[in-house]
């Protein structure tokens, strides 16, 4: 039988078709594997409410539980991961508002850490002997990639003459947790987590760059160890956080660790971080893959800084500042460092640089003299008549009962109340609710730590402390019908004491005083800056305090400086220099209540706020009323929430709720463990709030 053969042209055509089909199949497989890798990473990432830092930017896209380096990827992995990522970047990322709120809490905690109010951590480099292996090698290809991405940034920051460092000026530290280790509970674990951290360290540039990392917490989760997060946390090595690893590595290569200023994240992979960065790139640059240095720059306490700080790639920077603030603090620093962040992209590789700029310290005498001159200038524009009118509106008192010489501020409390009445403030109520809820949750965690005996040391004040800058007058008072209704519901009818058992105490900051440094403030007194006031009804018979009016000294200072258009000093400087040591509402209230109640002071249970005027608190309350009743005015009994409800947490995070929170935190030993409930309602169009600190 004769044989047939395919013509050469036919064979070539069939070969081309087979090659095209094979190429399409391969591309489909690569694309699918990229999506699966992304979904796998996303499913294992914690929610935005998870506080510990987590970096999954270099997780194994093949599903292996082994660390890998970028150079191990045969193809261009970032592009494949980004294929699915690009589908999600059209609008603001999901949870962007929560990231802003969480970032705000990080900034507050960083501030507390630099003020010495956060315990921090102290580790010695020898701690790395617990299961970690240290290496100082890195592939030359990686050095070339990093220099390509970062050279413009270095030349911009450090000048053309200094430029990007030579290879000998760069220290490489790679840490991998590949040996048995002991947990922080003292348990021996034979199976290593295979967590790792790689970084480049530039001592002469005061810069640390994280190039690749995978946390121990995520490794333990990937290995399906422990049924709950609490169980998995018990398996962590004594050192596991990326922030601690970077700090210890920096200490091994730098002769002066306090000089650390810049923290960089190179070639970011984490999808949550990429979503936020893409959103900002598209919003402000209309471009994502090529936004060269300086890219986008944000600083201070802007929403963008907060959101980026709360991303998985930003949290390590936040925790490094929180846990090691006192170690980083340079001689003479009196305030927290100002944060600035640049985000940029080079050929699809995303990078982030944080600048922790030390604040130039100013001598206290100069700072005090500046503010005194501002106050004196303001006094020349005021009159007694305006003063009485302003404070009288705020406190519902007659002019004869109030101190005179109070300046009429452009940015006054009265103006804010009028703005609220016109609805100019309430439009931000939802945002205020979210922020207050996060603040309340953070405060609940502090209170719980205090209940467990881990609270900060508390400065003790008594009634005698009020003699430093304050005037006190005691009288008998009569509660309004609104509070009779409240206590009748809580305690039963007829329990409200008669007027001769109700102490109406007016506290006014109208005297010269010595500040926390023992400096006599002869020219700068409460009278001159606005007469802070704390007026309240004290009823030990029913373990209650009802606040009638409260305007704090720190509020007055801020209002004066804001009205002058000057930069407001930090909270710690205001508290230390420009107000009496006893100035917080919670401390003043406890000192007066303890003086009146004597042996019954530990029974304090009810805190009421009458006719609330703080616009942030009003926003949150109005939002809750509208959310539940579709009206801003809800008469008694109003609405009641436990502290587990998000409404209760938001109310605790308001300025009025924080007074109760701080009282419970600072006096946890005297009061003991309590469960919080809160009731809000309106009376004749005025907003009321009552806290019930139920003994546990």
């Amino acid at each position: 039988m004769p044989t047939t053969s395919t013509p050469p042209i036919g064979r070539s055509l069939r070969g081309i078709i087979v090659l095209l089909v094979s190429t399409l199949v391969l591309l489909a497989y690569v694309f699918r594997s990229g999506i699966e890798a992304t979904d796998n990473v996303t499913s294992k990432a914690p929610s935005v409410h998870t506080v510990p830092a987590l970096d999954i930017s270099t997780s194994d896209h093949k599903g292996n539980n082994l660390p890998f380096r970028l150079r191990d990827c045969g193809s261009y992995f970032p592009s494949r991961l980004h294929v699915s990522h690009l589908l999600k970047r059209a609008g603001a990322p999901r949870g962007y508002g929560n990231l802003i709120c969480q970032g705000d809490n990080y900034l507050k905690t960083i501030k507390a850490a630099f003020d010495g109010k956060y315990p921090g951590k102290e580790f010695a480099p020898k701690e790395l002997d617990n299961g970690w292996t240290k290496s100082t090698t890195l592939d030359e290809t990686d050095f070339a990639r990093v220099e390509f991405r970062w050279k413009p940034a270095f030349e911009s920051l450090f000048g053309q003459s200094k430029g990007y460092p030579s290879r000998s000026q760069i220290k490489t530290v790679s840490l991998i947790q590949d040996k048995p280790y002991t947990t922080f509970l003292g348990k021996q674990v034979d199976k290593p987590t295979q967590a790792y951290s790689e970084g480049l360290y530039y001592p002469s540039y005061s810069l640390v760059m994280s190039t690749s990392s995978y946390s121990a917490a995520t490794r333990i989760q990937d290995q399906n160890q422990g049924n709950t997060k609490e169980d998995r946390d018990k398996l962590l090595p004594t050192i596991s956080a990326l922030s601690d690893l970077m700090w210890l590595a920096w200490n091994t290569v730098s002769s002066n660790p306090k000089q650390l200023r810049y923290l960089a994240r190179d070639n970011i992979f984490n999808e949550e971080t990429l979503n936020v960065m893409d959103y900002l790139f598209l919003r402000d640059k209309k471009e994502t893959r090529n936004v060269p240095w300086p890219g986008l720059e944000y600083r201070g306490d802007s929403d963008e800084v907060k959101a980026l700080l709360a991303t998985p790639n930003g949290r390590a920077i936040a925790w490094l500042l929180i846990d090691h603030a006192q170690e980083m603090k340079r001689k003479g620093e009196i305030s927290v460092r100002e944060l600035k962040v640049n985000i940029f992209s080079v050929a699809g590789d995303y990078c982030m640089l944080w600048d922790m700029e030390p604040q130039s310290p100013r001598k206290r005498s100069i700072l005090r003299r500046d503010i005194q001159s501002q106050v004196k200038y303001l006094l020349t524009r005021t009159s007694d008549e305006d003063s009485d009118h302003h404070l009288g509106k705020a406190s519902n008192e007659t002019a004869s009962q109030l101190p005179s010489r109070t300046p009429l501020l452009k940015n006054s409390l009265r103006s804010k109340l009028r703005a609220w009445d016109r609805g100019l403030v309430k439009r931000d109520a939802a945002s205020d609710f979210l922020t207050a809820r996060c603040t309340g949750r953070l405060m609940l965690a502090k209170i719980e730590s205090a209940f467990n005996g881990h609270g900060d040391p508390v400065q003790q004040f008594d009634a005698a402390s009020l003699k430093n800058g304050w005037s006190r007058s005691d009288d008998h008072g009569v509660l309004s019908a609104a509070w009779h209704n409240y206590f009748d519901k809580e305690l039963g009818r007829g329990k409200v004491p008669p007027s001769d058992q109700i102490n109406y105490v007016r506290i006014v900051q109208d005297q010269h005083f010595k500040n926390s440094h023992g400096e006599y403030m002869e020219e700068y007194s409460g009278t001159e800056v606005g007469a802070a006031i704390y007026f309240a009804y004290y009823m030990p018979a029913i373990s209650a305090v009802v606040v009638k009016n409260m305007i704090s000294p720190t509020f007055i200072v801020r209002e004066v400086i804001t009205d002058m258009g000057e930069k407001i000093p930090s909270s710690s400087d205001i508290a230390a220099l420009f107000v009496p040591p006893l100035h917080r509402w919670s401390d003043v209230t406890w000192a007066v209540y303890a003086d009146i109640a004597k042996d019954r002071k530990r029974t304090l249970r009810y805190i009421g706020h009458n006719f609330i005027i703080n616009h942030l608190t009003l926003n949150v309350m109005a939002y809750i009323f509208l959310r539940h009743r579709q009206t801003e005015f809800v008469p008694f009994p109003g609405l009641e929430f436990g502290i587990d409800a998000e409404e209760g947490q938001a109310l605790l995070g308001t300025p009025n709720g924080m007074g109760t929170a701080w009282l419970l935190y600072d006096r946890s030993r005297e009061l003991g463990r309590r469960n919080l409930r809160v009731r809000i309602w309106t009376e004749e169009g005025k907003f009321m709030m009552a806290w019930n600190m139920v003994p546990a």
Side-chain angles (χ1 to χ4, degrees):
M1 179 180 294
T3 59
T4 60
S5 62
T6 305
I9 296 178
R11 287 199 303 269
S12 300
L13 183 60
R14 184 163 59 183
I16 293 173
I17 294 174
V18 170
L19 180 61
L20 287 174
V21 171
S22 301
T23 302
L24 290 173
V25 170
L26 179 61
L27 287 174
Y29 173 79
V30 169
F31 178 78
R32 179 175 179 81
S33 65
I35 293 178
E36 289 173 349
T38 305
D39 292 340
N40 184 46
V41 169
T42 306
S43 66
K44 293 178 181 178
S47 68
V48 295
H49 299 297
T50 302
V51 174
L54 176 66
D55 183 359
I56 53 177
S57 61
T58 52
S59 57
D60 189 345
H61 67 287
K62 298 178 181 179
N64 300 326
N65 289 326
L66 294 173
F68 77 106
R69 305 326 189 244
L70 193 59
R71 58 183 177 273
D72 296 332
C73 300
S75 59
Y76 186 53
F77 182 57
S79 297
R80 287 171 35 218
L81 176 63
H82 233 57
V83 169
S84 58
H85 165 67
L86 293 175
L87 303 177
K88 303 181 179 181
R89 68 182 192 181
R94 182 181 179 185
Y96 186 72
N98 283 341
L99 287 175
I100 293 173
C101 181
Q102 188 180 2
D104 183 65
N105 287 334
Y106 277 125
L107 288 177
K108 291 176 181 176
T109 310
I110 291 171
K111 177 67 172 65
F114 270 83
D115 288 342
K117 299 177 182 178
Y118 189 89
K121 295 179 181 178
E122 290 187 12
F123 293 120
K126 65 179 182 180
E127 301 267 2
L128 292 174
D129 296 337
N130 183 23
W132 292 90
T133 298
K134 180 181 175 181
S135 171
T136 57
T137 60
L138 191 69
D139 193 291
E140 290 298 326
T141 304
D142 286 343
F143 277 113
R145 289 178 178 176
V146 171
E147 181 176 358
F148 173 70
R149 288 189 285 266
W150 286 91
K151 187 175 181 179
F154 276 75
E155 291 177 346
S156 172
L157 292 170
F158 308 109
Q160 291 280 349
S161 58
K162 192 172 183 179
Y164 192 80
S166 63
R167 176 66 184 85
S168 61
Q169 293 178 288
I170 305 173
K171 307 296 182 182
T172 304
V173 180
S174 299
L175 299 167
I176 180 169
Q177 210 283 300
D178 59 351
K179 295 182 292 188
Y181 64 94
T182 302
T183 70
F184 67 95
L185 294 176
K187 179 182 177 182
Q188 183 70 24
V189 178
D190 295 328
K191 184 178 181 181
T193 64
Q194 299 294 341
Y196 67 89
S197 169
E198 287 185 347
L200 300 180
Y201 295 79
Y202 305 75
S204 59
Y205 292 76
S206 302
L207 188 147
V208 171
M209 181 182 298
S210 174
T211 57
S212 180
S213 62
Y214 205 119
S215 72
T218 307
R219 282 298 183 196
I220 292 172
Q221 184 177 353
D222 290 348
Q223 294 166 3
N224 297 319
Q225 298 187 59
N227 296 322
T228 64
K229 183 180 182 300
E230 183 178 3
D231 292 337
R232 293 191 290 272
D233 287 346
K234 293 178 181 178
L235 297 174
L236 289 174
T238 52
I239 295 182
S240 61
L242 175 60
S243 56
D244 296 329
L245 295 173
M246 287 194 299
W247 178 250
L248 282 177
W250 172 250
N251 275 260
T252 64
V253 302
S254 174
S255 59
N256 188 359
K258 291 182 181 293
Q259 294 299 318
L260 178 61
R261 173 170 173 175
Y262 300 98
L263 290 170
R265 302 305 298 264
D266 177 59
N267 198 20
I268 293 170
F269 277 57
N270 180 270
E271 192 164 346
E272 185 179 341
T273 307
L274 291 174
N275 278 341
V276 175
M277 294 176 72
D278 260 345
Y279 167 65
L280 296 175
F281 282 146
L282 285 172
R283 188 192 70 181
D284 297 341
K285 288 287 188 180
K286 312 302 182 188
E287 168 63 39
T288 60
R289 293 180 59 80
N290 286 288
V291 185
W293 177 268
L296 296 174
E297 180 181 301
Y298 307 103
R299 63 172 60 236
D301 59 352
S302 65
D303 286 349
E304 293 84 0
V305 168
K306 294 174 183 177
L308 290 166
L309 193 66
T311 61
N313 289 82
R315 293 172 201 160
I317 282 80
W319 281 113
L320 189 145
L321 285 167
I322 292 168
D323 288 333
H324 305 286
Q326 294 304 308
E327 297 172 90
M328 297 175 64
K329 198 170 182 180
R330 304 179 187 180
K331 185 177 180 180
E333 277 192 72
I334 60 174
S335 60
V336 68
R337 297 185 179 187
E338 182 178 0
L339 288 180
K340 181 179 72 174
V341 59
N342 288 78
I343 56 174
F344 61 99
S345 62
V346 181
D349 296 333
Y350 283 42
C351 303
M352 180 186 297
L353 176 69
W354 291 89
D355 181 357
M356 306 173 294
E357 183 179 1
Q359 295 299 292
S360 300
R362 300 175 63 193
K363 291 184 178 180
R364 294 191 179 97
S365 58
I366 297 176
L367 189 61
R368 181 174 69 248
R369 188 163 59 248
D370 288 348
I371 295 185
Q372 287 175 353
S373 63
Q374 294 160 8
V375 173
K376 286 182 179 179
Y377 174 73
L378 182 64
L379 290 174
T380 62
R381 303 184 299 147
T382 62
S383 69
D384 290 353
E385 181 180 358
D386 285 339
S387 303
D388 292 336
H389 179 62
H390 162 58
L391 197 55
K393 291 291 288 185
S395 64
N396 302 309
E397 296 285 339
T398 63
S400 61
Q401 294 176 296
L402 296 170
S404 61
R405 301 169 58 211
T406 305
L408 179 63
L409 307 177
K410 290 181 181 178
N411 195 21
S412 66
L413 194 61
R414 179 178 57 171
S415 299
K416 291 180 179 178
L417 279 174
R418 287 180 174 176
W420 196 86
D421 289 338
R422 292 195 301 268
L424 299 180
V425 178
K426 285 179 285 188
R427 63 188 178 188
D428 297 325
S431 175
D432 287 341
F433 176 86
L434 178 64
T435 302
R437 185 187 67 184
C438 292
T439 302
R441 287 177 176 174
L442 185 67
M443 196 65 208
L444 279 177
K446 288 180 64 70
I447 293 172
E448 181 62 27
S449 69
F451 285 152
N452 294 328
H454 303 305
D456 297 329
V458 177
Q459 186 174 357
Q460 298 298 325
F461 296 106
D462 54 24
S465 304
L466 289 170
K467 295 179 181 179
N468 183 23
W470 297 89
S471 295
R472 170 178 170 177
S473 61
D474 292 54
D475 203 347
H476 297 306
V478 179
L479 286 183
S480 66
W483 290 105
H484 276 273
N485 292 336
Y486 174 76
F487 287 114
D488 284 348
K489 184 174 181 61
E490 293 290 333
L491 305 172
R493 287 188 173 277
K495 299 295 184 179
V496 176
S499 61
D500 60 351
Q501 295 182 28
I502 299 177
N503 296 79
Y504 179 45
V505 182
R506 293 190 292 271
I507 307 292
V508 180
Q509 204 272 293
D510 59 355
Q511 306 292 321
H512 302 309
F513 61 89
K514 287 186 178 181
N515 63 21
S516 296
H517 294 282
E519 300 166 328
Y520 186 63
M521 308 301 288
E522 184 175 358
E523 298 176 347
Y524 189 78
S525 73
T527 306
E528 292 171 338
V529 297
I533 58 173
Y534 294 129
F535 296 175
Y537 300 95
Y538 293 83
M539 296 166 284
I542 57 174
S543 305
V545 174
V546 174
V547 181
K548 186 172 185 181
N549 312 113
M550 53 185 292
I551 303 177
S552 71
T554 54
F555 172 83
I556 296 294
V557 171
R558 289 192 180 94
E559 289 295 288
V560 170
I561 306 307
T562 300
D563 189 58
M564 296 302 301
E566 299 292 336
K567 182 178 180 180
I568 300 176
S570 67
S571 298
S572 58
D573 287 340
I574 291 177
L577 303 173
F578 306 114
V579 296
L582 176 57
H583 62 272
R584 294 194 308 169
W585 172 86
S586 57
D587 291 330
V588 172
T589 299
W590 178 256
V592 175
Y593 186 82
D595 181 55
I596 295 174
K598 308 298 182 187
D599 295 338
R600 289 182 53 86
K601 65 181 181 180
R602 297 176 181 270
T603 64
L604 178 60
R605 176 169 175 174
Y606 299 100
I607 300 290
H609 291 273
N610 187 67
F611 291 1
I612 290 171
I613 57 178
N614 182 278
H615 76 280
L616 291 176
T617 307
L618 292 173
N619 271 0
V620 174
M621 294 177 71
Y623 178 81
I624 294 173
F625 285 145
L626 291 169
R627 192 180 192 184
H628 287 268
R629 298 287 182 86
Q630 285 74 52
T631 176
E632 296 175 12
F633 302 105
V634 179
F636 191 83
L639 302 172
E640 185 178 38
F641 304 99
I643 203 60
D644 292 334
E646 61 179 14
E647 293 89 348
Q649 295 165 0
L651 291 167
L652 188 70
T654 62
N656 290 80
M658 287 294 284
T660 300
W662 280 113
L663 190 149
L664 194 55
Y665 174 79
D666 290 335
R667 310 301 161 187
S668 57
R669 292 185 178 181
E670 292 94 331
L671 296 174
R673 183 177 289 274
R674 302 294 183 96
N675 296 322
L676 289 172
R677 298 194 63 79
V678 59
R679 185 181 297 276
I680 56 174
W681 72 98
T682 59
E683 187 77 18
E684 298 178 355
K686 305 297 183 180
F687 283 47
M688 322 283 278
M689 177 190 296
W691 290 93
N692 184 353
M693 302 182 291
V694 184

